[in-house]
Amino acid sequence: MNKYLYILFFLFITAFTTRESNLSNPSLWPKPTYDFSKNPIEKNKVNLGRVLFYDPILSENNSISCESCHSPYSAFTHIDHALSHGIYDSIGTRNSPALMNLAWKKSFMWDGAINNLDMQALAPISHPLEMGSSIKNVVIKLQASKKYRQLYFHAYGDSIPTGEKTLKAISQFLLTLVSANSKYDKVMSGTEQFSVQEKNGYALFQKNCSSCHREPLFTNDEFVNNGLLENPILKDKGRMHISLDSTDAFKFKTPTLRNIEYTFPYMHDGRFKKLSEVMNHYTTGIIQSKTLAPELNEKIQLTENEKVDIISFLLTLSDKEFVFNSNHTYPKEIISSVAKD
Amino acid sequence: MKKYCVLLALLLSHTWSDAQRVNISFNATLDGKELLHDLVLVKNERDTLQINQLKFYISKIQFLKDDELVFTALNSYHLIDFSLPASTSLSIKTFRSISYNSIRFYLGIDSLTNVSGALGGELDPTHGMYWTWQSGYINFKMEGQVNRKDEPSKEFQFHLGGYQQPFNALQKVELDVSDEDIKLALNLNPFLKLINLSFDHHIMSPSTKAVELSEMLAKNFKVKTNE
């Protein structure tokens, strides 16, 4: 049953990406963690989720949408802002992560505070510095909207919005944000080739980086301390906030490196603007501490040329088709086909 | 096809004719007084205690006869909310007639349900019993204030929950019962005794303290006997 739903999900995604992608060959990818049997992907639900994602109705004063911090043109991160900006121009405490391949994650947020994709939207909706509302108020506003009554009816055969239906529809849209069509993917499936420099960078990457940024998702989905100096203002202890266990201090969820070209600035607090700064961190900036990942205890030695090679490899993870996919952008066509409020 | 449906319906209605309904109602008491309709309690001429919100989840209700399980209610997740009197009494359909002398239920939501994504009905997050910045159900919520003459009032917010070890706050409650009309009361005195209300209290996330307070609550459900 589950396997069947999972294949349906792949068919759905591949229908959305124009050219042949690696997803048509799921054997190259691990099995998703999201339980599709509880929320089977359907076009009208994805559409509803997409409209919700772009609608500031989710915030208290109708000013901020999910897109405000997660723009499709930057692989769904808040481009050029180290810390996300939210309601009433408040500044959050963390860099908004890029959103992609979420069906494969066990937990969400830099510290894993969220245990299921469905529950993710509750955090920004309720956060006083982000959207400043509550799911209860959001549902009341949606119930009063002609447009949404129609969209919920198309999606669920029932025009009354509830918290459950709203959250599941947002998940449906987020699940379709699959990036699997970069140059790297094409090289892996044998349709393109790396340049000499990219190939060299790939080998160095596999040696130094892939224990955490594991292929093909470029994350091991675990919490690790990669040796950043503690931010003196934010004093963010990462995973320890959730586990209350001091052996988790300064551990953060390994982020994916797919589309890294578009998702600057980097790290949980957006401290680095350029990939060259990230490379310098790994070679000369590692701060020793009790919780530092063991593989970083020994210094990573890379020449300037080798650093450039790794960066040229990282740029092969850019998926233009993902970033410019018109199925992910503002849903003009859906909104114009339903009632106006 | 239609014929079979009719047959099936007959069959079912036959077996269901033995169905039984057990009513379980919840109340809370403080200093022996029932809180259901009046959440303001004048303790003495100096202090008043005002409870603004009192809500908790009851789940997996089971009936036992001499310690042997006879019936488990299906899908039993119930939000008892003292601001909605109708929510404080449950009517459990047993589908067949059962004989029992004790009941068992949980105060809170099990860990599997906690990781199952968005759920509806009594478990819909619009009920305000789901944490937002960190996933998980709030098993028990009590908010209010203590007003003391000539002093600024002190607030308390207890949001107790947590499903991951070592902070799993889910509690089992077992009580001997003799009636089909089961009236339960949660005595809040021992709970309030554990905490010093001359300070503000904001327990809003899973912790050792939250587990300790949840244990204390679970021990203080009592069966009211009909004299």
Side-chain angles (χ1 to χ4, degrees), chain A residues 218-236:
Chain A
F218 290 87
T219 168
N220 55 2
D221 211 26
E222 308 227 323
F223 303 98
V224 281
N225 175 351
N226 72 336
L228 295 171
L229 183 69
E230 180 182 6
N231 184 314
I233 299 158
L234 301 170
K235 297 207 184 312
D236 194 338

Side-chain angles (χ1 to χ4, degrees), chain A residues 38 109 113-116 118-120 122-124 126-127 135-136 139 162-165 167-168 239 241-244, chain B residues 114-121 124-128 130-137 163-164 166-167 206-208:
Chain A
K38 295 210 171 80
M109 300 292 211
I114 305 296
N115 68 19
N116 187 301
D118 293 353
M119 306 330 261
Q120 173 67 43
L122 291 177
S126 324
H127 198 299
I135 184 72
K136 187 174 174 190
V139 166
T162 65
E164 179 190 19
K165 289 180 203 153
L167 295 173
K168 283 190 162 159
R239 181 65 183 163
H241 286 298
I242 302 303
S243 67
L244 307 181
Chain B
N114 265 288
V115 298
S116 295
L119 298 166
D124 194 294
T126 46
H127 296 304
Y130 198 91
W131 273 304
T132 57
W133 58 274
Q134 173 177 10
S135 298
Y137 280 95
Y163 65 93
Q164 272 173 314
F167 308 125
S207 65
T208 318

Side-chain angles (χ1 to χ4, degrees), chain A residues 254-273:
Chain A
T254 306
T256 179
L257 301 182
R258 286 180 173 271
N259 296 301
I260 197 76
E261 178 181 3
Y262 310 118
T263 62
F264 56 88
Y266 304 115
M267 305 299 170
H268 68 268
D269 56 357
R271 65 179 68 188
F272 300 134
K273 289 204 171 56

Side-chain angles (χ1 to χ4, degrees), chain A residues 267-287:
Chain A
M267 305 299 170
H268 68 268
D269 56 357
R271 65 179 68 188
F272 300 134
K273 289 204 171 56
K274 296 199 193 106
L275 287 173
S276 57
E277 294 170 55
V278 173
M279 292 312 307
N280 292 340
H281 162 69
Y282 281 110
T283 51
T284 53
I286 299 286
I287 303 295

